Amino acid sequence: MQYSIVAGTHYLCKKSNMQTDIFSPEAMLTFKQIQDAANSSATKNVQLNGTTKIIPYPFPSPTDWRDCMIYFLITDRFNNPSSEPKSTFKVPAIEWDQKFDFRQGGTFKGVQQQLEYIASLGAGAIWISPVLKNSKPDHFAYNYHGYSTQDFMTVDERFGSDGTSETAEKELIELVEEAHARGLYVILDIVINHATEAFDYEIDGGVKNIFSNEAIMNGPFGSEPPIEWLNGFGFPRSDWRNTLPSPDTLSPDDAIWPKDLQRADFFRRRGNKISDAPGPGGFATGDFGTMRQMVVEYEANSSDQKALRDKYGINPVLSILIRTYQYLVAKLDIDGFRIDTVKYVAPGKVENFGNAIREFALSIGKKNFFMFGEIYDDEKTIAKFVGRHSTDTDSFGIDAALDFPLFFALPGVAKGNIGVEAISGIFKDRKSQEKGLLSTHAEAGRYFVTFLDNHDQNERFNHPRTPEEQVLLGLTTQFCLQGIPCIYYGTEQGLNGTKDTDGNPVLDSNESVREAIWGRKPIAFDGENIFYKQIQALTKLRFTEPALRYGRLYFRQVSGNGRDFGDSTGKGGILAFSRILNNREVLIAANTNPTNPFKGFILLDLDLNRALKKMKVAFSNKVTPGEGTVTIIDQANFFESDKLVSTGTAAGLFVELAPMEIQVLVPEN
């Protein structure tokens, strides 16, 4: 059947589509609509390039997210088909690549306009920065990124083409529909740890929006300073001390919405986080500057909280957040969540959140709704949140994490600044964590989203002085290692960070990596750019070689003389590894040395290569043609740390690598 959206009722004075609470009539109607659609195998008609395409509604999940390269963009910095990037208040116009911490003006229509560009790159999914309404006043300069949510159920009107939330929501839905029609899945960035600057603190004889005090942070319950909720102009109200007036008297821009969150005790109220070290609850506590941390682990278990418990359950803050994000799935028909600042939330509550979203998605036919988290830490910490993270529980955490352990090493290895053994060390450590990650040697790639760039660093991987071949070496390694590769917007155009007015690099904050790409001249979205073409080729290679998506991972020893094999180590060494799926082995060999070539042998699996298979170069960042035949070596010597540990028969492939060259070699048959 063809499904059509039923118009909801106008619910609050200033915003007709604003949901004042999680049980509002239109919110309930939205849940019913998508459930009815799921039960009736509904479809939608989407206009695409002048033709009508029929897509399922709700849109089903991919079978395996390793099939989907992810393209991450910041909406405000990506594209606006109607205007150039905005300037500061002092300069009439700026270049597209200068730092700017206000809104540049990117819109959902701008993203929609470039969906073909993203799909042609080879992406299977787009990850979009947070779309929910942030605080409005102009003095909140930094909220263009979307991580400072003021209304958890309303789309930010500034991403729409006419400045209304109704239009913004409609255009976001159209964006999702067209993405689905093009075979792209949509992942939204969300936050469950913190909200906007909904209030300021009465402390030290005044009112402050940021303070740090270890005694207060670690003090007993009840030691929180009084707060003054902010009105829609961004000013604290002394008459809104701790308690807000009736929601009926508030504007949509006051304090925080939905009204279910308008309780002071739902927020930590201890000031700015003092460190990232976990406290007694196993997670770090405190505000993120002016962004107020919520008490996701809040328990309504006292006798005087019966009404609260009856309405929301034992964990009211968690229940409200679950409901708001289920509403987002129902309203927008999205396919996944990237969850911000996960390690600052109690691991058990992240698990509960993931399970609740997963079950709701299952109920509407999304059988593999994807949730991955920002866990800026090591393997041990990641294992607390991802997969089956405890030996005494049968429940699951979120699906995956951003691969920060790999990010901490791969850029430096690719540029010859870190020893190549750092990469194999990561995966050895990962294998030791397998019990916690519910993984096997091959399946570990399901649990990590890999990246070389993101929006929180001070510089892009493509530094202004980085040679082109080093960037491509890093990208190729990323695409061939285990994991779901993610590309940060602009990487495919060779963006290398912001510049000052004289064209010099400015690489001193995360604003340095957030250029407004659509202002780039002469072509902002160039399908012929060398980086675009190379990423396109790598994505195609992953599809033609399933081993690069699903295969087991083995790091390989190398030899200069074809007889003595050992691990390459040190800066500028040889990074060599194989991906094996069934009876097919794909070899990746990278020379990270910037000046010296390499000629030698690399080990392969003996049993798979006894038939003397021929291998060909399927990809090289230096377009080195060639092929070779595997050699069987009868008396090979194997060394560890310069000590002979064994001898025996081996299979080896002779390779020639130019400085900073990476090759992907595949069997000819």
Side-chain angles (χ1 to χ4, degrees):
M1 64 173 287
Q2 178 62 37
Y3 195 80
S4 61
I5 300 297
V6 178
T9 56
H10 289 181
Y11 196 68
L12 189 71
C13 54
K14 291 190 178 180
K15 297 267 169 69
S16 62
N17 67 333
M18 176 184 176
Q19 308 310 302
T20 58
D21 66 86
I22 62 174
F23 301 113
S24 69
E26 188 173 338
M28 300 298 288
L29 178 60
T30 297
F31 283 109
K32 183 179 186 304
Q33 286 175 335
I34 200 162
Q35 195 68 65
D36 289 347
N39 294 340
S40 59
S41 301
T43 61
K44 282 186 174 182
N45 290 340
V46 180
Q47 295 300 309
L48 190 64
N49 298 330
T51 62
T52 300
K53 184 157 186 174
I54 301 174
I55 60 172
Y57 175 65
F59 199 72
S61 304
T63 302
D64 195 313
W65 281 89
R66 287 174 293 183
D67 296 335
C68 301
M69 184 267 277
I70 299 171
Y71 185 90
F72 169 38
L73 61 89
I74 299 177
T75 303
D76 181 68
R77 300 302 166 92
F78 187 66
N79 189 36
N80 184 329
S82 302
S83 67
E84 292 293 310
K86 295 178 181 176
S87 69
T88 66
F89 296 123
K90 297 178 181 179
V91 183
I94 64 167
E95 296 297 326
W96 64 277
D97 61 353
Q98 287 191 300
K99 285 177 62 174
F100 189 69
D101 61 357
F102 289 80
R103 289 181 180 257
Q104 291 279 39
T107 61
F108 296 138
K109 279 296 183 186
V111 178
Q112 185 177 356
Q113 185 188 59
Q114 297 301 332
L115 287 177
E116 177 59 32
Y117 164 88
I118 295 170
S120 295
L121 181 66
I126 53 173
W127 155 18
I128 300 176
S129 57
V131 301
L132 294 175
K133 183 189 170 194
N134 279 215
S135 297
K136 286 192 69 175
D138 288 338
H139 72 266
F140 290 129
Y142 198 58
N143 70 11
Y144 70 85
H145 49 65
Y147 295 96
S148 185
T149 309
Q150 185 260 340
D151 187 332
F152 282 82
M153 296 184 74
T154 299
V155 175
D156 196 313
E157 61 263 36
R158 288 160 291 194
F159 295 138
S161 58
D162 68 358
T164 67
S165 60
E166 293 92 341
T167 297
E169 182 180 280
K170 175 179 177 291
E171 291 174 349
L172 179 54
I173 291 171
E174 291 172 351
L175 161 60
V176 173
E177 289 173 346
E178 183 174 330
H180 287 163
R182 292 185 180 278
L184 289 167
Y185 299 96
V186 180
I187 299 166
L188 289 190
D189 214 325
I190 66 169
V191 187
I192 62 173
N193 173 66
H194 57 264
T196 191
E197 184 187 342
F199 55 80
D200 287 344
Y201 297 95
E202 292 182 6
I203 191 167
D204 298 332
V207 179
K208 293 185 177 181
N209 60 5
I210 300 176
F211 80 94
S212 295
N213 186 304
E214 189 169 358
I216 293 176
M217 181 64 72
N218 300 318
F221 179 76
S223 63
E224 302 88 354
I227 64 170
E228 294 182 10
W229 295 91
L230 269 60
N231 63 18
F233 297 100
F235 300 115
R237 291 277 297 262
S238 59
D239 56 335
W240 292 354
R241 191 175 191 263
N242 292 331
T243 304
L244 280 164
S246 169
D248 295 337
T249 68
L250 299 175
S251 87
D253 300 327
D254 290 333
I256 193 165
W257 294 91
K259 68 180 182 182
D260 310 81
L261 289 173
Q262 293 175 356
R263 289 177 57 115
D265 58 347
F266 282 1
F267 293 84
R268 188 79 57 195
R269 294 172 295 141
R270 299 296 183 102
N272 196 32
K273 66 184 179 73
I274 295 171
S275 75
D276 286 347
F283 57 97
T285 57
D287 297 339
F288 272 54
T290 60
M291 294 185 285
R292 305 299 180 223
Q293 188 178 40
M294 294 177 285
V295 189
V296 180
E297 75 280 9
Y298 186 109
E299 292 189 0
N301 52 17
S302 63
S303 58
D304 62 346
Q305 292 179 308
K306 183 178 184 305
L308 188 62
R309 189 165 56 249
D310 288 346
K311 186 172 184 180
Y312 302 113
I314 192 69
N315 295 120
V317 178
L318 178 63
S319 296
I320 294 164
L321 290 172
I322 287 171
R323 185 73 173 179
T324 62
Y325 286 120
Q326 287 176 339
Y327 172 78
L328 203 61
V329 176
K331 191 74 176 178
L332 304 176
D333 192 24
I334 54 175
D335 309 291
F337 286 143
R338 180 267 190 182
I339 309 174
D340 187 63
T341 53
V342 166
K343 78 171 187 175
Y344 300 97
V345 182
K349 302 312 173 191
V350 175
E351 177 185 321
N352 292 344
F353 179 87
N355 286 332
I357 298 297
R358 184 181 293 114
E359 290 187 5
F360 173 71
L362 282 167
S363 76
I364 59 173
K366 293 179 179 287
K367 298 179 181 179
N368 195 13
F369 191 90
F370 188 48
M371 286 169 285
F372 65 101
E374 179 198 26
I375 307 167
Y376 199 109
D377 218 311
D378 57 17
E379 301 280 346
K380 186 176 180 180
T381 302
I382 289 172
K384 293 179 181 178
F385 297 93
V386 176
R388 183 175 290 162
H389 58 265
S390 173
T391 57
D392 58 1
T393 180
D394 291 328
S395 56
F396 292 80
I398 55 177
D399 303 297
L402 285 163
D403 199 342
F404 277 99
L406 182 63
F407 171 73
F408 295 149
L410 180 52
V413 169
K415 294 181 179 183
N417 298 324
I418 297 176
V420 293
E421 67 274 12
I423 302 298
S424 60
I426 290 164
F427 288 89
K428 289 176 183 177
D429 188 23
R430 184 156 298 167
K431 191 175 181 182
S432 72
Q433 302 287 341
E434 284 179 0
K435 193 172 186 180
L437 286 171
L438 188 72
S439 69
T440 68
H441 189 57
E443 292 297 290
R446 294 172 54 192
Y447 301 94
F448 293 92
V449 174
T450 64
F451 64 100
L452 287 170
D453 294 288
N454 72 14
H455 57 314
D456 286 329
Q457 307 307 312
N458 287 359
E459 63 182 65
R460 289 177 177 265
F461 175 62
N462 185 18
H463 185 280
R465 292 187 294 275
T466 302
E468 180 181 286
E469 58 262 45
Q470 279 188 342
V471 178
L472 296 174
L473 187 153
L475 286 167
T476 307
T477 305
Q478 176 198 0
F479 272 67
C480 293
L481 286 169
Q482 287 179 330
I484 302 164
C486 178
I487 292 295
Y488 183 49
Y489 83 97
T491 300
E492 78 285 358
Q493 292 297 324
L495 299 195
N496 57 13
T498 57
K499 312 293 190 301
D500 63 19
T501 54
D502 295 321
N504 300 311
V506 181
L507 308 172
D508 58 359
S509 72
N510 54 26
E511 289 300 316
S512 303
V513 299
R514 299 178 180 182
E515 305 100 310
I517 183 175
W518 83 94
R520 185 170 182 252
K521 302 292 186 293
I523 304 174
F525 302 100
D526 181 7
E528 296 302 315
N529 185 285
I530 181 62
F531 294 108
Y532 187 96
K533 301 294 285 186
Q534 293 291 308
I535 293 171
Q536 196 176 54
L538 286 169
T539 306
K540 183 178 180 180
L541 182 62
R542 278 178 61 88
F543 272 97
T544 57
E545 292 293 340
L548 294 178
R549 287 175 280 152
Y550 317 125
R552 288 169 279 139
L553 172 66
Y554 299 94
F555 288 88
R556 296 306 192 190
Q557 292 184 321
V558 302
S559 171
N561 59 18
R563 182 180 64 255
D564 301 317
F565 287 86
D567 295 325
S568 180
T569 60
K571 300 176 181 179
I574 303 300
L575 176 63
F577 58 93
S578 292
R579 300 294 304 276
I580 297 177
L581 186 67
N582 191 23
N583 62 351
R584 189 170 179 85
E585 178 172 11
V586 177
L587 175 67
I588 297 89
N591 178 12
T592 66
N593 194 293
T595 57
N596 298 329
F598 171 80
K599 294 182 180 181
F601 287 81
I602 299 177
L603 281 182
L604 294 173
D605 185 277
L606 178 61
D607 290 334
L608 292 180
N609 290 281
R610 288 186 186 276
L612 301 180
K613 291 182 178 179
K614 286 189 175 182
M615 303 281 284
K616 65 178 181 179
V617 177
F619 180 89
S620 169
N621 63 335
K622 292 203 170 183
V623 200
T624 301
E627 63 180 22
T629 301
V630 177
T631 301
I632 301 299
I633 304 162
D634 291 327
Q635 291 293 322
N637 302 315
F638 304 102
F639 291 82
E640 290 183 8
S641 301
D642 296 327
K643 292 184 179 180
L644 180 67
V645 293
S646 66
T647 61
T649 305
L653 181 71
F654 181 77
V655 299
E656 296 186 48
L657 298 168
M660 294 185 288
E661 181 181 10
I662 185 168
Q663 294 180 9
V664 182
L665 298 113
V666 303
E668 279 198 337
N669 54 344

